[in-house]
Amino acid sequence: MIEKTYQPADIETRMSRLWEEAGAFRAGHSERRDAKPFTIVIPPPNVTGSLHMGHALNNTLQDILCRFERMRGRDVLWQPGTDHAGIATQMVVERQLMERQQPGRREMGREKFLERVWQWKAESGGTITNQLKRLGASCDWSRERFTMDEGLSRAVVKVFVALHREGLIYKDKRLVNWDPALLTAISDLEVQQVEVKGSLWYLRYPLQGKTFDPDDPSSFIVVATTRPETMLGDTAVAVHPDDERYADLVGKQVILPLVGRKIPIVADEYSDPEKGSGAVKITPAHDFNDFEVGKRHGLPQISVLDQEGRLTLSGNEDYLRDLPEGALMFAEAMHGKERFAARKLIVARLEESGFLERIEPNTHMVPHGDRSGVVIEPYLTDQWYVDAKTMAQPAIAAVRSGATSFVPKNWEKTYFDWMENIQPWCISRQLWWGHQIPAWYGPDGKVFVAETEEEAVGNALGYYAEQEVITPEQGREMAHDPAKRAGFITRDEDVLDTWFSSALWPFSTLGWPDDTKDVERYYPTDVLVTGFDIIFFWVARMMMMGLHFMKDVPFPTVYIHALVRDAKGAKMSKSKGNVIDPLNLIDEYGADALRFTLAAMAAQGRDIKLDPQRVAGYRNFTTKLWNACRFAEMNECRLPAGFDPAQAKQTLNRWIAHETARATREITEAIEAFRFNEAAGAAYRFVWNVYCDWYLELAKPVLTGEEGAARAETRAMVAWARDEILKLLHPFMPFITEELWAVTSKRDGLLALAAWPQKAEIVPEQLALAAGFAEADPLPVMMAAGNAPAGFSDPAAEAEIGWVVDLVTAIRSVRAEMNIAPATLTPLVLAGASAETRARAQRWNDVVRRLARLADISFADSAPEGAVQLLVRGEVAALPLKGVIDFAAERARLDKELAKADADIKRVDAKLGNEKFVANAPEEIVEEEKEKREAAAARKTKIIEALDRLQRAG
């Protein structure tokens, strides 16, 4: 018995338990041994994370695909797991230690600290997994993986060693994004560009061979910089080769202010003649662009900042040796100064010495660490790198050839732009939590890379014995006693970038390299569902690793979903206070309502503007479904054994079978094409409009009438269509549909494992006739597989019931436009009606009059004077409204509405035509204005149609 009130929380808890106990989502069931596999790997959320709206969208779309394919009989593996999230996790535990006033990680030591992190992971690391289950994610949770599981760790080591042997992993000194607070290199993804109101300092660099005079422009060149504190590391001044102002100076030298070193003036296209003075200082060790300029011109790299962002002289002995005495004293005075404090001191000294020409306010983007919040430094340091350029070539070719396709396709351009301009990938991080790099160093710094410590130590000791650095006896002692080799052979302390292990996710989670049975069955996966922001960081790297180690792409399709924004179109952020918590929405409206909302709004290439009221609206949809099933139950609508909808005799029942087949086709094709919004829209229209508003409404007189064949058939058809609806809605709304399936079907088995309705393929007329069907018979549907048909095509039934629906809808629309009160019954005249339409009108007279609020239905050769004419399926239906409404007053009202719509359009056009407004207004405000214009234009179209009807009515 269906409960009177739909209570999502109770249902969701019970259904989750039911699925888990039944092992419903486990891949590799014996009964599906011969089924074609369907695999998706979950983008592994950080183990530190909790469910946010991006996760909710991403996992809802994946779940729709998995449930859909599972119902289509595929052996579905939705591989779940979490990422160890190096920096984020280490920060969580370090913050915890600090809050509890316990020793920090360096006091604890590496081993004890890592024990603490694993302890935290065991206690708190499963939060997001449980939250994904609340969302209804049908992963095979028995296969849950963690990027630092023993098996996955072996895969990481194997890949690192293999790539190093091939020369594709190497160590190099290059600039990296350095976080002075966390004391580690970080990826571009962990860098947040923040708009800062700063300054642009114009500095006078004296020309070599001329006496510097602040009042004589010929004695210096002016450079503009936002970072005067790094000038101690300048090694050149660059000007554009086409900049005539400086053509005579290229190749000459300047004297670096405050320092006294001679540095060259070079010509390089990096300099922008339109920006600042057109001349820029080049500091290769402290700026990514300057680093490239330095490489092009063979400039030295002088690092003047340490790991904590303080000015330093360490490592610059040659540099110090060349300084004049006064400059040396100044440099020594700067040693150890924090970078921004040093900036003030340097600017003050420049001003005192006449080297500061002017300061201008300058708003610019400054990189900050997304976790530490501090300004990131480009820092020159030794790190491990992957030769990404070489590994990118097969990955580029795979997308160009179509082996992997992006949906929407425009993201392929983004992929190519990134991949074709790819830089070496810095994979080392100065952390303790993560995969420790499998490299060991000898006393002379020689590196030994191996899969195990025993192998590395053996190789190292053998090498040094051969070089006679140690005796064979010493080698044997060190090999067997770690204490004796301590300090002689040491392991690299750094760990690998989190994205390195994530890049192996599609095959490491399947057991590679230890057990390849599942790899052979489930790799490559079928589709990757992810956000655009990690196309480069994750998608591209999985492509590289998959092609290199598996010799095949990891997925043939990459579906890129858009962002979830707030109701006004603004990005969600804690600072704005506009973050919408999906768990709060689940608590309030149920998981099904949230899931359906996200699917219904997931149009390809368009961001989702999520208003909680939309979720409330789809909660009403779940209630509508619930009540429709209760209505069917209360009217004793049950599905008899062996019921065949294709054998229905009643026109209304044949119509709902026809519409069910059409909905099945639309929903199936839309999901197959990743048009989730269209699939959800088709489901919504079919359930709410076709089934609930029309079919059940039209079936009521039969269900409440006399017992007989018509009533029995209608009861069966109501139940059959209800069951098809539960199947079609299940991928979107799994909890409520599973509950209603259990309560109403009285069958064994879960809806999650039931067969998807077969997509109806309409047989062409000539094929149907050739198959022996009489010309008058409705054309049947040829099904690809399955026992019961999903429905059939019955043009006659569709024409009849469709006419009723269209007629009533058109009349209701006019009544609403003309403000006709519900209590006012109007006549209807069918003008020049065909014999078929006359017959339909007579058969459905009572129904049409009741639903359209009509006094009577009559026939005439032409529409009477003063009638509003409607064209319904090619024939005229006229509503004589003379005396019912005041035509003049109605026209005046509509004219007023039209003027208002025109004014709204004009106002928005004025805003959008203002370049300053479009350039300066937040993106969400501009989008809001565009939507207002669309709404006003649509309103105007409807008003013009209404006025036209009035005009024709006289």
Side-chain angles (χ1 to χ4, degrees), residues 602-646:
Q604 289 183 10
R606 188 185 306 162
D607 286 348
I608 292 174
K609 295 180 181 177
L610 185 65
D611 187 338
Q613 287 308 305
R614 290 291 296 269
V615 186
Y618 287 117
R619 161 64 193 256
N620 294 340
F621 179 52
T622 59
T623 302
K624 184 89 169 178
L625 173 66
W626 186 266
N627 290 339
C629 291
R630 284 193 79 242
F631 171 83
E633 185 179 64
M634 290 163 63
N635 283 276
E636 301 178 15
C637 299
R638 300 182 188 88
L639 190 63
F643 176 74
D644 182 0

Side-chain angles (χ1 to χ4, degrees), residues 827-892:
L828 175 69
V829 178
L830 298 175
S834 64
E836 190 175 38
T837 297
R838 285 173 176 266
R840 285 176 187 154
Q842 288 166 357
R843 283 194 293 272
W844 296 95
N845 184 288
D846 292 345
V847 170
V848 172
R849 284 172 55 196
R850 173 170 57 86
L851 296 179
R853 310 293 297 162
L854 298 177
D856 59 67
I857 301 175
S858 60
F859 304 93
D861 292 336
S862 59
E865 187 181 344
V868 171
Q869 296 182 34
L870 308 171
L871 194 64
V872 178
R873 299 212 169 194
E875 296 190 11
V876 174
L879 287 172
L881 297 180
K882 209 167 190 177
V884 177
I885 63 170
D886 184 330
F887 277 61
E890 187 59 28
R891 192 175 291 112

Side-chain angles (χ1 to χ4, degrees), residues 756-770:
W756 181 257
Q758 295 298 315
K759 185 172 70 172
E761 300 294 345
I762 301 172
V763 181
E765 185 172 356
Q766 61 271 28
L767 293 181
L769 294 173

Side-chain angles (χ1 to χ4, degrees), residues 680-747:
Y684 183 92
R685 286 190 300 275
F686 174 62
V687 175
W688 191 298
N689 302 118
V690 176
Y691 183 75
C692 296
D693 284 357
W694 288 109
Y695 178 60
L696 295 184
E697 187 64 35
L698 296 175
K700 279 179 183 177
V702 183
L703 294 173
T704 56
E706 295 179 2
E707 286 289 354
R711 189 179 185 191
E713 178 187 287
T714 302
R715 279 174 169 164
M717 188 61 84
V718 167
W720 175 83
R722 174 207 63 208
D723 283 1
E724 297 301 286
I725 282 169
L726 294 179
K727 295 174 190 174
L728 293 171
L729 283 179
H730 182 72
F732 305 92
M733 307 164 73
F735 294 106
I736 188 173
T737 53
E738 189 74 76
E739 167 75 2
L740 290 170
W741 180 262
V743 174
T744 61
S745 68
K746 300 295 188 290
R747 300 187 193 94

